[in-house]
């Protein structure tokens, strides 16, 4: 593997940042200064240090993205900007979004190249919780709350599984669901006579949206977040 790619994969910086740092003499391979970004290294054997600190190769990467409205949850699209375009230089081959948010939905989206974890999180059998904040067109009432908590008919064979509802104010709720059907939240609110005018995902399983990230911003998951997500 190229040295600059290895450093990126370790989270040392973007490709252009690490190239600059290599040329500036801030990287060593097996104790020797390495000045060429294209130098080949063996990630299993070679000891690479960046600014004096050993780099630990990570097999998979995990990004927490605050998805803005107006981008699609796809890896590529002929016409639309995708969530992968937002990663820019940090984009590592094989990364994809875990599940989908509608183009107009904002909030937490996990991006990774770890297919096994993605499968665990999206498998219908696992019932992973997804919590959304919904701004509604009309006042929300306890009848609607009760219906959502029981499960509603959204025109499919099975009604939705019981949801958890928290009322925030007259037209704002959080809804926690354990499925991932197409446009599910919007369809559930429509089924109880209301309508979603703004939707934001706050949480998926143990992973919560980092509210310090602006819409369009992203960061790597911490080791603790990855660990908790796996549990
Ligand atoms: N439910 C929806 O209706 N839209 C989303 O983007 C996510 C869940």
């Amino acid at each position: 593997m190229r040295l600059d790619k290895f450093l990126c994969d370790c989270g040392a910086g973007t490709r252009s940042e690490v190239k600059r740092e290599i040329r500036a003499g801030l990287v060593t391979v097996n104790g020797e200064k390495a000045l060429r970004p294209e130098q080949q290294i063996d990630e299993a054997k070679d000891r690479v240090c960046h600014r004096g600190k050993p780099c630990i190769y990570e097999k998979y990467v995990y990004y927490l993205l605050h998805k803005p409205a107006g981008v699609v949850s796809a890896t590529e699209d002929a016409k639309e900007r995708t969530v992968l375009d937002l990663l820019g230089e940090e984009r590592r081959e094989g990364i994809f979004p875990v599940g989908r948010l509608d183009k107009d939905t904002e909030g937490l989206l996990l991006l990774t190249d770890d297919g096994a974890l993605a499968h665990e999180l999206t498998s219908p059998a696992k019932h992973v919780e997804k919590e959304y904040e919904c701004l509604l067109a009309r006042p929300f009432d306890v009848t609607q709350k009760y219906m959502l908590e029981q499960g509603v008919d959204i025109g499919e064979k099975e009604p939705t599984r019981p949801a958890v509802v928290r009322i925030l104010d007259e037209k704002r709720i959080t809804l926690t669901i354990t499925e991932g059907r197409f446009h599910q939240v919007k369809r559930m609110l429509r089924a109880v006579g209301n309508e979603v005018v703004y939707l934001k995902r706050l949480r998926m399983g143990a992973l919560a949206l980092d509210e310090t990230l602006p819409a369009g911003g992203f960061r790597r998951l911490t080791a603790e977040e990855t660990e908790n997500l796996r549990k």
Side-chain angles (χ1 to χ4, degrees):
M1 176 185 294
R2 281 176 63 119
L3 178 59
D4 53 357
K5 178 169 183 337
F6 173 86
L7 286 161
C8 280
D9 290 356
C10 293
T14 63
R15 198 75 171 238
S16 48
E17 281 165 357
V18 301
K19 276 185 181 162
R20 218 176 307 127
E21 305 247 302
I22 294 167
R23 291 192 181 112
L26 298 170
V27 175
T28 57
V29 177
N30 303 322
E32 304 270 322
K33 207 176 270 186
L35 295 168
R36 290 183 311 116
E38 64 277 17
Q39 177 177 337
Q40 290 293 318
I41 59 132
D42 180 339
E43 65 270 20
K45 286 198 202 127
D46 289 327
R47 223 177 95 80
V48 179
C49 291
H50 172 231
R51 293 178 174 263
K53 284 204 198 110
C55 298
I56 312 297
Y57 184 68
E58 293 173 29
K59 189 163 178 209
Y60 298 117
V61 280
Y62 307 89
Y63 289 101
L64 168 55
L65 169 73
H66 184 165
K67 179 191 174 296
V71 295
V72 295
S73 301
T75 50
E76 53 184 23
D77 193 283
K79 284 192 238 119
E80 309 278 2
R81 223 149 76 93
T82 73
V83 289
L84 278 197
D85 293 333
L86 296 172
L87 287 192
E89 275 201 74
E90 292 227 10
R91 192 169 157 160
R92 174 158 147 180
E93 216 168 287
I95 294 182
F96 58 89
V98 178
R100 280 169 183 264
L101 292 177
D102 297 338
K103 186 176 168 188
D104 60 354
T105 301
E106 296 192 350
L108 180 149
L109 192 64
L110 174 67
L111 300 163
T112 186
D113 49 1
D114 182 347
L117 181 66
H119 178 73
E120 287 287 303
L121 291 169
T122 52
S123 162
K126 302 284 177 181
H127 303 311
V128 173
E129 287 188 347
K130 270 96 39 185
E131 183 179 354
Y132 294 88
E133 179 184 341
C134 317
L135 186 61
L136 305 169
R138 290 176 278 285
F140 188 76
D141 60 38
V142 288
T143 309
Q144 294 174 31
K145 181 173 191 283
Y146 179 78
M147 289 167 77
L148 294 170
E149 286 171 347
Q150 299 306 301
V152 290
D153 178 359
I154 56 169
E156 292 184 5
K157 225 162 62 193
E158 297 286 332
T160 57
R161 284 169 55 81
V164 174
V165 180
R166 215 158 32 102
I167 299 179
L168 301 177
D169 61 39
E170 200 193 21
K171 291 187 184 171
R172 223 156 46 94
I173 63 166
T174 67
L175 182 71
T176 304
I177 58 174
T178 54
E179 301 163 288
R181 304 195 208 175
F182 187 60
H183 295 326
Q184 181 163 345
V185 174
K186 293 172 184 164
R187 288 162 74 202
M188 287 174 76
L189 268 302
R190 219 170 287 140
V192 301
N194 213 316
E195 200 178 327
V196 173
V197 294
Y198 170 79
L199 189 59
K200 180 178 183 179
R201 182 153 66 188
L202 303 177
R203 185 172 61 83
M204 180 169 63
L207 184 65
L209 179 64
D210 179 343
E211 293 285 356
T212 66
L213 280 178
F218 61 87
R219 65 162 172 79
R220 290 223 185 182
L221 259 58
T222 63
E224 194 184 356
E225 283 171 328
T226 315
E227 188 60 32
N228 287 339
L229 207 50
R230 283 220 179 84
K231 282 187 202 149

